Amino acid sequence: MKEIKRYLESREGNYSFYFEDLKSGFIYGFNENVKMPAAGCIKLPIAMALLKEVENGKVSLNDLISIGDEDKVSGFFGIIHEFSEKQYTLKELLVAMLIQSDNTAACKIINILGMDKVNSLINDMGLKSTKVNKYPSEVKLSDNEENITTSYDLSQCFKLLHNNTALSKEHSRLIIETLKRHQLNTRIPFYFQREIQANTANKIGTLETVENDTALLNFSKGDFVYTVMSNNLPTNVYGITTIARSGKMMFDMVDKDWN
């Protein structure tokens, strides 16, 4: 993992990463506790907060939610803002938020739960460096106004889901299996074989000069979490290729050297 650290240190921009073997407990991090803009990755803890409120009996995934023109928020990958006014179940909004990183769905979920409640639920899960400061959008604000998290916290999200410790097994699997259908494999899983990509649950985040990806990985050598965050990039493509390269480096290390 030191090779990944040296590689990221050689690249333009600011980086952090965290790796953990979920069986052995081996960990390696680089700036993993540095707070950085979460971008679309914030939707992973938001999804966990939503399902916690489902378990608390406050909302149901079958609840029908109306989305009108006043609710629509554009984004790099979303789709709901393209449709005319209609109703969605809360589960459909959850799936859109995770698979397509839909901002309209994310904002509606935050409105339903309340931003303070979302942050309280996230904090109760032990994600102490993660905070929703604004409604997700494609417009980047200053770093201290953005939604923030760390490589460590994002990795802990997947660890909590893998171990069924924050949510029930049913709801943990719902998030993991939904994210395996995530439509963007251009970052951590980019160089993986197709069958490994299909078994990888990951959530990306992108804003101007920001690229992030966090993943739960199921390899033949075991289950792992791996997160890379970046900020102040020369271009977003530069960040995407950097994260993809680091993902290949990580996979090669595990595939060749892990016991």
Side-chain angles (χ1 to χ4, degrees):
M1 296 299 155
K2 291 181 180 178
E3 291 85 351
I4 297 176
K5 177 178 180 290
R6 286 195 290 267
Y7 171 65
L8 294 179
E9 287 177 324
S10 74
R11 302 290 283 172
E12 293 182 54
N14 305 116
Y15 297 89
S16 72
F17 85 91
Y18 182 86
F19 171 90
E20 182 170 349
D21 181 334
L22 295 177
K23 182 178 180 180
S24 72
F26 172 85
I27 63 173
Y28 193 95
F30 168 60
N31 293 332
E32 70 272 22
N33 292 310
V34 175
K35 295 178 182 179
M36 300 175 71
C41 289
I42 199 66
K43 292 161 187 168
L44 175 55
I46 290 173
M48 294 171 68
L50 171 62
L51 290 176
K52 177 55 72 174
E53 281 295 78
V54 170
E55 294 180 5
N56 290 338
K58 303 299 183 182
V59 293
S60 167
L61 290 178
N62 294 320
D63 288 345
L64 286 174
I65 310 299
S66 295
I67 301 290
D69 289 340
E70 70 278 4
D71 298 309
K72 295 178 182 178
V73 182
S74 63
F76 293 109
F77 310 111
I79 191 66
I80 291 177
H81 65 274
E82 299 289 347
F83 298 145
S84 58
E85 182 173 348
K86 62 175 293 187
Q87 286 188 323
Y88 300 84
T89 65
L90 201 48
K91 183 176 180 179
E92 287 172 333
L93 293 181
L94 172 69
V95 170
M97 179 177 71
L98 293 177
I99 290 183
Q100 295 182 317
S101 204
D102 193 284
N103 285 334
T104 298
C107 292
K108 195 65 174 181
I109 289 170
I110 293 171
N111 269 332
I112 291 167
L113 301 183
M115 191 175 293
D116 288 343
K117 185 61 177 180
V118 170
N119 283 320
S120 175
L121 291 162
I122 289 171
N123 186 72
D124 289 347
M125 292 179 192
L127 308 172
K128 304 299 186 182
S129 297
T130 299
K131 187 175 182 182
V132 180
N133 288 316
K134 66 160 197 170
Y135 291 101
S137 76
E138 62 188 6
V139 178
K140 185 185 179 187
L141 305 180
S142 64
D143 286 359
N144 62 348
E145 296 175 294
E146 277 294 331
N147 298 322
I148 58 167
T149 190
T150 63
S151 293
Y152 176 82
D153 270 15
L154 288 174
S155 297
Q156 292 309 297
C157 287
F158 274 126
K159 183 177 181 179
L160 290 168
L161 294 170
H162 176 271
N163 295 336
N164 307 315
T165 48
L167 299 170
S168 68
K169 182 176 181 179
E170 175 189 0
H171 288 143
S172 295
R173 297 309 303 174
L174 174 60
I175 292 178
I176 291 170
E177 294 304 318
T178 300
L179 284 175
K180 285 182 180 179
R181 307 197 304 275
H182 191 260
Q183 296 175 340
L184 295 160
N185 291 317
T186 52
R187 293 159 180 80
I188 288 173
F190 182 72
Y191 290 105
F192 296 177
Q193 295 174 351
R194 185 72 58 87
E195 59 270 24
I196 298 176
Q197 284 186 344
N199 207 29
T200 295
N202 71 298
K203 182 70 190 77
I204 72 156
T206 183
L207 286 169
E208 184 180 1
T209 73
V210 171
E211 289 294 338
N212 306 322
D213 198 5
T214 183
L216 174 63
L217 308 162
N218 177 239
F219 298 154
S220 61
K221 299 290 183 72
D223 296 328
F224 307 86
V225 289
Y226 182 61
T227 300
V228 185
M229 301 185 71
S230 62
N231 192 13
N232 298 319
L233 298 167
T235 68
N236 283 76
V237 171
Y238 184 93
I240 291 170
T241 56
T242 299
I243 293 174
R245 175 62 181 168
S246 81
K248 185 178 189 307
M249 294 171 69
M250 177 273 300
F251 174 79
D252 288 346
M253 291 175 201
V254 171
D255 188 52
K256 296 175 182 177
D257 303 326
W258 225 253
N259 296 319

